[in-house]
Amino acid sequence: MYMKRLIYFIVITLFICSCDKNDKDTSGSIYGIVSDKSTNELVAGVNVSLAPGGKSTVTGTDGSYNFLDLESGVYTILITKESYNPEKKEIAVADGKRMEGHFQIERIPAILTIDKEALDFGENTDLNTLSFSIVNRGYQTLKWSIEQNCSWVKEIKPANGTLEHSITETVTVVIDRDKL
């Protein structure tokens, strides 16, 4: 009985060992961490897109991202986040391989945006004051000033200032209609 069990065990073991293993991993993956180029801090909330395939994700609080179950081939990764320059790179993925795709992204310097392209005082003679807003969309403090070279502009307030990141300031323009 013991011998019969031993032979049975050996036959089963040989059968298992001799089987053709088709368990080869036929997919790969890409993982990486996104950090700030100037501070080396990890950057959360970065949009990470993969082409071809159209997959996308967002980095976690630790700056990491991951794309799983990718077919072999060359992929382009595009990294975007507001206030940062976009970055992209190509990574070749092979079956069963986990490919590394770390990025260091660079902040955009101070950027001044204005909410109006023009101030239209129109024909209404009672209208002599209009305003617009400016915003610093960059990451550095922005010093700004408005130079006036029109005799009909009576006052700009404030005419200069300093804006921190993401701060909005309203600028008022007063005109003298008699000088138009």
Side-chain angles (χ1 to χ4, degrees), residues 57-69:
T57 189
V58 176
T59 59
T61 55
D62 60 353
S64 69
Y65 71 92
N66 205 359
F67 291 107
L68 303 173
D69 300 323

Side-chain angles (χ1 to χ4, degrees), residues 113-180:
T113 59
I114 302 171
D115 69 343
K116 295 180 182 169
E117 289 186 25
L119 296 177
D120 185 2
F121 288 91
E123 301 288 328
N124 184 348
T125 58
D126 294 336
L127 182 63
N128 63 0
T129 303
L130 287 175
S131 63
F132 61 94
S133 295
I134 58 175
V135 180
N136 179 1
R137 298 225 184 267
Y139 73 97
Q140 295 175 332
T141 300
L142 175 67
K143 291 184 179 186
W144 62 273
S145 67
I146 300 173
E147 292 185 23
Q148 171 210 291
N149 60 0
C150 299
S151 62
W152 50 271
V153 174
K154 191 175 184 179
E155 183 179 16
I156 299 174
K157 47 185 181 179
N160 57 54
T162 303
L163 280 177
E164 299 295 325
H165 166 67
S166 297
I167 301 298
T168 302
E169 186 162 358
T170 301
V171 176
T172 303
V173 178
V174 181
I175 65 165
D176 182 349
R177 286 195 168 271
D178 295 332
K179 294 183 179 179
L180 279 175

Side-chain angles (χ1 to χ4, degrees), residues 19-105:
C19 286
D20 181 24
K21 293 195 176 190
N22 285 330
D23 295 338
K24 181 181 174 193
D25 193 356
T26 59
S27 66
S29 63
I30 300 173
Y31 73 98
I33 295 175
V34 180
S35 60
D36 185 290
K37 194 172 195 172
S38 58
T39 66
N40 287 325
E41 293 177 3
L42 303 175
V43 184
V46 176
N47 297 308
V48 185
S49 303
L50 190 65
K55 291 184 177 185
S56 64
T57 189
V58 176
T59 59
T61 55
D62 60 353
S64 69
Y65 71 92
N66 205 359
F67 291 107
L68 303 173
D69 300 323
L70 300 175
E71 293 180 12
S72 292
V74 177
Y75 292 87
T76 300
I77 298 177
L78 176 63
I79 305 289
T80 58
K81 182 171 175 77
E82 186 176 343
S83 299
Y84 284 88
N85 288 318
E87 291 286 330
K88 71 178 177 179
K89 67 172 65 169
E90 288 187 347
I91 296 178
V93 173
D95 290 344
K97 299 291 183 187
R98 200 173 139 102
M99 306 308 292
E100 192 175 275
H102 301 307
F103 283 85
Q104 284 200 312
I105 57 177

